[in-house]
Amino acid sequence: MRRDPYEVLGVSRDAGEGDVKKAFRRLARELHPDVNTHDPQAEEKFKEAAEAYEILADGERRATYDRYGFDGLESRGFASAAHGFGSFADIFDAFFGGDPFGAFGGRAGTGRVQGGDVGVEVQITLEQAARGATVGVSYDLVDACERCGGSRAEPGSDVHTCTTCQGAGRVRAVSRTAFGQLVREQVCEVCGGEGRVPTKPCTACSGRGRKAVRKTLDVDVPAGIADEQRIRLTGRGHAGERGGPPGDLYVLVSVADDERFVRDGNDLVSVVDVPAPAAALGSTVSVPTLDGDEQVDVPAGTQPGTVVTLRGKGMPAVGRRGRGDQQVVLNVVIPRNLNARQSELLTELRDSLGEDNLREPADESLVGKLRRAFR
């Protein structure tokens, strides 16, 4: 059983962003492998805490979880980044850009920085949303240079330790102020924080190790996806710096309106016009569905706003079996622009109607009558 994120981090449901971050950093320190060697489950516990932090630190994810739980998050494409890393060190690098607590056991932080995320929007039809589809997306991102593979060095040349920072990637600058000496640490300008410098910079990326490129990718859209839900593709975002992991690609799915249906969760609602005489005498109407037109019987005496349910003709649920229903609203249409003969026939019908023809069902309550009147 997956534990509640609030319980995992030990915070209340009204905890602010600062409290959430503070609780996560406290747990991360407690579960660090160099200070928690006695617990073989420390890594899994940290992944659980990291997932809880990912949910509660993001306002949109937090609101979704509060309303719909883990199922709601997963239906919107959420997958924890923490569970995609192979080692404890990689997890710390991804969330903190290196070891956030200094050099435990003599091990210093690597200074690796995870790449940024990329967002792109695609539009699909309602039928594609119902059946699932593969759509192509194109987007711009900063990726590792193909020529040097991100090493920043021209192929065949080597990379040596930066003599300015001695491989640390950061240098200390000392300045004098009225209050004494001020020491501040900053990224090394020579190696850009890498700690190593190519002897001969790559000619394709000018020694940066990364280039702006445009990529095209086929994305599998699951059946049942709703409008404005997101699909997360791990590792498809901007390349990381100093050996850090890449960011993620978020695909925002926009489902185009369909003039035949209105979506209500996993149900579909459609409206079919029925001439008043056909509703009075009984008839059959053709109803469009996602699976093609279907013939629906209209019982004699059908009233305006009557709803006919077509079981299993709605939308599927993401990751689940079965489909919703289609609710067909029968819109009884009063004839207009009558000719003389039609007016004569309707006049005869009107004059022939008695109380029995207009009597409402005996078991219908007042509330039922009002509902039917205002459909």
Side-chain angles (χ1 to χ4, degrees), residues 243-268:
D248 300 330
L249 172 65
Y250 287 90
V251 181
L252 178 65
V253 178
S254 173
V255 181
D257 292 335
D258 192 305
E259 61 181 11
R260 301 168 299 171
F261 311 105
V262 173
R263 185 171 181 176
D264 182 16
N266 290 329
D267 291 342
L268 295 176

Side-chain angles (χ1 to χ4, degrees), residues 152-231:
R152 304 185 298 131
E154 186 70 11
S157 64
D158 61 353
V159 181
H160 62 271
T161 300
C162 177
T163 57
T164 302
C165 65
Q166 303 303 316
R170 304 182 70 84
V171 295
R172 289 187 174 184
V174 181
S175 58
R176 294 184 178 277
T177 69
F179 302 98
Q181 288 186 336
L182 175 64
V183 180
R184 55 190 176 89
E185 192 177 80
Q186 61 189 28
V187 175
C188 176
E189 295 182 355
V190 176
C191 66
E194 299 281 351
R196 295 171 63 81
V197 179
T199 302
K200 185 178 181 181
C202 174
T203 56
C205 64
S206 301
R208 289 188 292 269
R210 306 193 304 167
K211 288 184 63 178
V213 298
R214 186 166 184 81
K215 283 197 171 184
T216 299
L217 184 68
D218 288 335
V219 178
D220 292 328
V221 178
I225 196 166
D227 185 45
E228 294 191 352
Q229 285 189 330
R230 297 189 302 173
I231 300 173

